């Protein structure tokens, strides 16, 4: 399985385009896979005959794992060129029968305090696969009553537990500290209604949103910006801009331009966390949170936004937006973002508190541009005028971004909007 993008560690096989015994050419598409970002086609790296396909559709595969064996020039080789002879490699079906997975000691030691049966310390790969599909943790597995030999959890036990509504989903192991908070054992009425199963992408989005909130302590800073000059300039020049460059001039490239300038002024906002290290990125790649026709969310990326003029930014933004609407985004389109913006004003929201797009450390929400009476300073003194106002809200990772940096950055973005040159040439 080839590398599919930064921070992507696994992919789900959607379909194989070839079968065992088929001939394939170098760079011919072998299979289609899905990540939490986008669906991608994976080409063969060699020409030859497919000897073995090691995984099936819907299997979750780690990046770097051997997924198929191709006989090329009389030798067997994998797409990663790291395979052994087929006879020495156990088939997936054999490994499923032989392997069991032991849960971590920390869980094992505490499982007896909340398990309703014998402590379940071993789980088969099949049980692990089912648990992963339903987002069931090791700790939760350890609480499920087991009917298998030697207290092992069977597939039927797990399905029965899911059927019962997962009563131990919110339970936590007992702690020696009597003052520590424990989630109460609650039984919720799920109610009745239309049941809609999450699609693959929605499940991945859900996992990443929960992961981001669990990983980064979110803090949000708010600023109000006067966009009157931006709105007036755009309205006066959008027709001429399209006639000159053949591109629609929306607000998004203007937003990207201002954000890229502010990121350049405050480079530490353009970072990620690696353990105890902070990685400050050299490139400024602005991700744009975009709604797909399915209602799911994706983040296409404007690469090196700080080096591009308004014409180039408009071209990039329009191309990515069109690809998203038509489901034509490819892996490179959604790879490498270092800072993300979310235009919640598109849907009429005054402001938002967005969740950070990991592994970044901040995300900026841009609210609706709304005309309001405001007090402004003029040569004659204070006057009330109709101005186009917008709220900006920056969610940042308080592990590495403090209030000074977060507040200064979002204020600088607002300053670029308010200081926009009405005499700017297109």
């Amino acid at each position: 399985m080839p590398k599919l993008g930064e921070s992507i560690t696994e992919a789900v096989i959607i379909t194989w385009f070839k079968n065992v015994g088929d001939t394939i050419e170098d760079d011919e598409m072998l299979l289609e896979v899905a990540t939490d970002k986008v669906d991608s086609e994976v080409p063969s790296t060699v020409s030859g005959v497919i000897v073995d396909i090691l995984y099936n559709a819907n299997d979750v595969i780690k990046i770097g794992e051997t997924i198929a064996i191709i006989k090329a020039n009389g030798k067997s080789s994998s797409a990663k060129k790291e395979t052994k002879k087929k006879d020495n490699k156990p088939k997936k079906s054999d490994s499923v029968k032989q392997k069991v997975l032991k849960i971590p000691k920390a869980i094992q030691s505490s499982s007896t305090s909340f398990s309703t049966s014998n402590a379940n310390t071993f789980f088969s790969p099949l049980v692990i696969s089912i648990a992963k599909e339903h987002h069931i943790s090791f700790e939760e597995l350890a609480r499920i009553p087991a009917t298998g030999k030697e207290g092992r959890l069977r597939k039927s036990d797990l399905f029965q537990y899911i059927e019962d509504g997962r009563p131990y989903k919110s339970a936590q192991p007992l702690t020696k500290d009597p003052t520590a908070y424990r989630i109460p054992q609650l039984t919720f009425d799920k109610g009745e209604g239309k049941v809609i199963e999450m699609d693959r992408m929605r499940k991945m989005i859900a996992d990443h949103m929960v992961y981001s909130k669990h990983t980064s302590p979110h803090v949000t800073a708010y600023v109000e910006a006067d966009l009157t000059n931006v709105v007036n300039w755009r309205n006066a020049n959008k027709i001429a801009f399209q006639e000159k460059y053949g591109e629609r001039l929306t607000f998004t490239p203007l937003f990207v331009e201002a954000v890229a300038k502010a990121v350049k002024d405050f480079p530490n906002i353009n970072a990620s966390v690696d353990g105890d290290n902070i990685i400050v990125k050299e490139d400024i790649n602005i991700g744009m949170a975009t709604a797909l026709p399915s209602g799911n969310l994706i983040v296409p990326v404007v690469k090196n936004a700080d080096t591009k003029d308004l014409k180039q930014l408009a071209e990039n933004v329009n191309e990515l937006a069109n690809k998203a609407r038509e489901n034509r985004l490819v892996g490179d389109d959604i790879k490498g973002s270092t800072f993300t913006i979310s235009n919640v004003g598109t849907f009429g929201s005054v402001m938002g508190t967005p969740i950070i797009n990991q592994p970044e450390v901040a995300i900026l929400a841009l609210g609706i541009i709304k005309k309001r009476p405001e007090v402004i300073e003029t040569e004659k003194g204070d006057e009330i005028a109709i101005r186009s106002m917008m709220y900006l809200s920056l969610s940042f990772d308080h592990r590495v971004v403090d209030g000074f940096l977060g507040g200064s950055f979002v204020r600088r973005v607002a300053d670029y909007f308010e200081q926009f040159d009405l005499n700017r040439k297109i």
Side-chain angles (χ1 to χ4, degrees), residues 154-171:
R154 301 170 61 191
K155 178 179 72 172
S156 58
D157 298 330
L158 183 52
F159 280 131
Q160 183 61 49
Y161 172 72
I162 295 169
E163 179 85 11
D164 292 340
R166 294 173 60 184
Y168 307 117
K169 182 177 181 180
S170 299

Side-chain angles (χ1 to χ4, degrees), residues 258-273:
V259 169
K261 288 180 180 178
V263 170
K264 204 166 185 176
D265 294 340
F266 296 94
N268 286 348
I269 207 79
N270 195 51
S272 62
V273 180

Side-chain angles (χ1 to χ4, degrees), residues 103-138:
I103 65 174
K105 287 184 178 179
I107 298 173
Q108 181 178 342
S109 62
S110 61
S111 63
T112 54
S113 63
F114 47 73
S115 176
T116 60
S117 65
N118 295 331
N120 305 315
T121 58
F122 290 93
F123 304 114
S124 71
L126 178 58
V127 167
I128 294 295
S129 176
I130 297 170
K132 186 171 184 180
E133 182 180 349
H134 291 273
H135 310 285
I136 298 174
S137 67
F138 282 116

Side-chain angles (χ1 to χ4, degrees), residues 13-27:
I13 294 176
I14 299 176
T15 185
W16 289 93
F17 298 132
K18 296 287 185 177
N19 298 312
V20 173
D22 288 351
T23 300
I24 192 167
E25 299 297 326
D26 188 13
D27 284 334

